[in-house]
Amino acid sequence: MDLEIHDVAELFGVSESTIYRWISDGKIPAYRMNQLHSHYRFSIGEIEDWLLSRKPDMINENDTPNETTNPRRPGSKQFNLFRAVHKGTVLHNVPGQNKASIIQNTMKYAAKDFQFDPDVAAELILDRENLMSTALGNGIAVPHARDSFLSTGHDAIIVVFPEEPLEYGALDGKAVHTLFFLLTGEARRHLQLLAKIAHLSSKPEALEFFKAKPKKTQILDYVKQWESQVAG
């Protein structure tokens, strides 16, 4: 099912007035069923691609004081990022000289814990990368597949720190030092996590934190504290 105005406003933590302004300015892809239909709709796939192709600070645009709709914080579900990292794992110093090898090695390491075929999972994620790089910029990437390959209904995130930063096709040209592998089973929850990671990756203090390759307990503490401030 495609998204409506209120869904996208909630997703990006802005007012509905901001979304209408983005549509008017041609900043976000939207459609109407026909010229007489006044309600806008948004394709989930197009919104995902749009999010990946934007500069991270694009989704942090604040509502102007004269807007009448109450603004909402980025991410509609409080602590969903914390829960996904908690369900997932953190891998340090994963070897890989390029995008393909880091994805393949990560899937091999994670396959046992999450009960999926590592070769199939890697192929699905690489197929998504061939459509568009999942690098958000600022050294952060969010590899994922179009379709879920999890055997459980729980969303999970695998945080990966490669041995060395690697070229990932980011629009800003920066090498990637942290990868958030998104393992999700539902499109809207996937977009919520993607938007929240994009928001987090625009914060200089968060980037410095992840560059230090923290442990899982440290990441959980950091994310929980951050989400308590931004999630309503």
Side-chain angles (χ1 to χ4, degrees):
M1 180 182 294
D2 285 348
L3 305 175
E4 298 186 28
I5 287 283
H6 66 89
D7 297 316
V8 180
E10 186 174 274
L11 179 66
F12 295 124
V14 297
S15 73
E16 294 180 15
S17 301
T18 295
I19 301 301
Y20 280 113
R21 186 168 67 250
W22 287 358
I23 294 172
S24 178
D25 293 343
K27 291 182 177 179
I28 190 169
Y31 72 90
R32 290 185 291 184
M33 298 301 293
N34 54 62
Q35 293 299 317
L36 299 178
H37 199 283
S38 60
H39 299 294
Y40 285 98
R41 296 290 187 272
F42 306 80
S43 162
I44 288 178
E46 287 185 352
I47 290 297
E48 180 187 77
D49 290 345
W50 176 85
L51 178 58
L52 290 171
S53 66
R54 297 295 95 185
K55 294 179 180 179
D57 59 358
M58 176 62 188
I59 66 165
N60 300 326
E61 179 177 336
N62 293 321
D63 292 335
T64 57
N66 62 351
E67 288 183 336
T68 58
T69 307
N70 291 330
R72 281 166 287 196
R73 301 279 186 169
S76 66
K77 300 193 72 173
Q78 192 169 29
F79 302 119
N80 61 340
L81 182 58
F82 172 86
R83 290 194 299 271
V85 174
H86 184 268
K87 289 287 185 182
T89 189
V90 177
L91 302 175
H92 291 82
N93 298 318
V94 176
Q97 301 300 313
N98 52 46
K99 181 186 294 190
S101 59
I102 200 75
I103 290 173
Q104 290 163 350
N105 288 336
T106 297
M107 293 300 96
K108 288 177 183 177
Y109 294 150
K112 183 177 180 181
D113 290 338
F114 294 96
Q115 300 180 352
F116 56 69
D117 185 310
D119 295 329
V120 171
E123 183 177 353
L124 290 172
I125 293 174
L126 286 169
D127 284 346
R128 178 66 183 89
E129 293 290 340
N130 288 334
L131 294 175
M132 175 185 290
S133 173
T134 61
L136 289 171
N138 291 334
I140 304 295
V142 284
H144 59 272
R146 283 291 192 186
D147 300 308
S148 176
F149 47 80
L150 286 182
S151 59
T152 67
H154 300 297
D155 299 331
I157 290 177
I158 304 172
V159 182
V160 171
F161 301 110
E163 285 182 331
E164 299 291 339
L166 65 153
E167 197 283 324
Y168 212 84
L171 291 177
D172 63 2
K174 294 181 180 179
V176 165
H177 57 75
T178 306
L179 301 97
F180 294 84
F181 282 76
L182 296 183
L183 309 182
T184 57
E186 196 272 327
R188 294 193 186 211
R189 298 200 311 269
H190 168 81
L191 281 179
Q192 289 168 351
L193 288 170
L194 180 58
K196 194 170 279 189
I197 294 170
H199 179 48
L200 182 63
S201 70
S202 70
K203 304 300 181 183
E205 62 274 17
L207 297 174
E208 290 303 313
F209 173 76
F210 285 107
K211 283 181 181 178
K213 299 183 178 180
K215 296 179 180 179
K216 183 175 181 178
T217 54
Q218 294 173 305
I219 294 175
L220 288 172
D221 288 343
Y222 187 92
V223 169
K224 187 174 184 179
Q225 175 64 26
W226 179 76
E227 283 190 294
S228 71
Q229 299 171 1
V230 302

